[in-house]
Amino acid sequence: SDLTGARVVTTMIVNGVPRTAIEMVEGVRKFRFGEALEYSEQEWLVWEINQHLAEARGAAPSMADMPPEDRPEMYDDTDQASSAMTDIDPFWDMRDSSEQNKLDPFKDRDQFWRK
């Protein structure tokens, strides 16, 4: 078999929290799965896969034969301000006030509550 082995890899880091997946390596090809599993479940499944490969080959997979891991993607959205209108229309603040009033679904809210 051309399968080199399996390992747990960090695929991305979101707001400082690593996200991991199982990676099966076949030569230079990599297949990832199990992103929704807990880390301990990923470790167990990797161990099971590598044990099966060891039994089939007569030798355990060598991590030295694996290509280096890809660098994880980094995402940090803790400093992103969000408002409902800018999420819907990214050009909201570029419109003049008459256009904003036409598009604002809550423009009459003050008059409504005063009645």
Side-chain angles (χ1 to χ4, degrees), residues 4 11 34 39 44-46 51-52 58 61 83 85 101 107-108:
T4 306
T11 57
Y39 184 78
W44 172 79
L45 193 51
V46 163
Q51 285 295 102
H52 179 74
S83 72
M85 196 50 76
N101 287 335
K107 67 181 168 113
D108 297 323

Side-chain angles (χ1 to χ4, degrees), residues 85-86 89-95 99-101 103-105:
M85 196 50 76
T86 56
D89 184 357
F91 302 106
W92 178 253
D93 59 341
M94 298 171 77
R95 301 183 192 281
E99 287 182 82
Q100 287 179 1
N101 287 335
L103 297 173
D104 183 0

Side-chain angles (χ1 to χ4, degrees), residues 1-4 53 57:
S1 171
D2 290 336
L3 286 178
T4 306
L53 289 173
R57 288 189 191 134

Side-chain angles (χ1 to χ4, degrees), residues 2 5 10 13 33 40-43 50 61 71 83 89 91 97 101 105 110:
D2 290 336
T10 301
I13 299 174
F33 61 96
S40 59
E41 295 170 319
Q42 292 171 342
E43 285 283 330
N50 287 334
R71 184 182 175 122
S83 72
D89 184 357
F91 302 106
S97 61
N101 287 335
D110 293 331

Side-chain angles (χ1 to χ4, degrees), residues 2-115:
D2 290 336
L3 286 178
T4 306
R7 62 185 173 191
V8 176
V9 295
T10 301
T11 57
M12 66 180 70
I13 299 174
V14 180
N15 298 330
V17 179
R19 305 288 172 110
T20 57
I22 297 170
E23 185 174 77
M24 298 272 308
V25 179
E26 176 193 25
V28 296
R29 295 171 37 175
K30 300 173 185 176
F31 305 94
R32 290 185 178 167
F33 61 96
E35 292 90 352
L37 298 174
E38 295 289 327
Y39 184 78
S40 59
E41 295 170 319
Q42 292 171 342
E43 285 283 330
W44 172 79
L45 193 51
V46 163
W47 183 84
E48 287 287 335
I49 292 167
N50 287 334
Q51 285 295 102
H52 179 74
L53 289 173
E55 289 175 16
R57 288 189 191 134
S62 170
M63 294 301 124
D65 294 337
M66 297 258 209
E69 290 184 29
D70 295 335
R71 184 182 175 122
E73 297 178 35
M74 305 287 278
Y75 297 99
D76 185 8
D77 63 359
T78 56
D79 62 346
Q80 304 276 331
S82 175
S83 72
M85 196 50 76
T86 56
D87 288 345
I88 295 169
D89 184 357
F91 302 106
W92 178 253
D93 59 341
M94 298 171 77
R95 301 183 192 281
D96 66 29
S97 61
S98 63
E99 287 182 82
Q100 287 179 1
N101 287 335
K102 286 183 212 170
L103 297 173
D104 183 0
F106 303 106
K107 67 181 168 113
D108 297 323
R109 65 184 171 270
D110 293 331
Q111 288 87 7
F112 175 80
W113 292 110
R114 291 182 185 162
K115 289 181 184 180

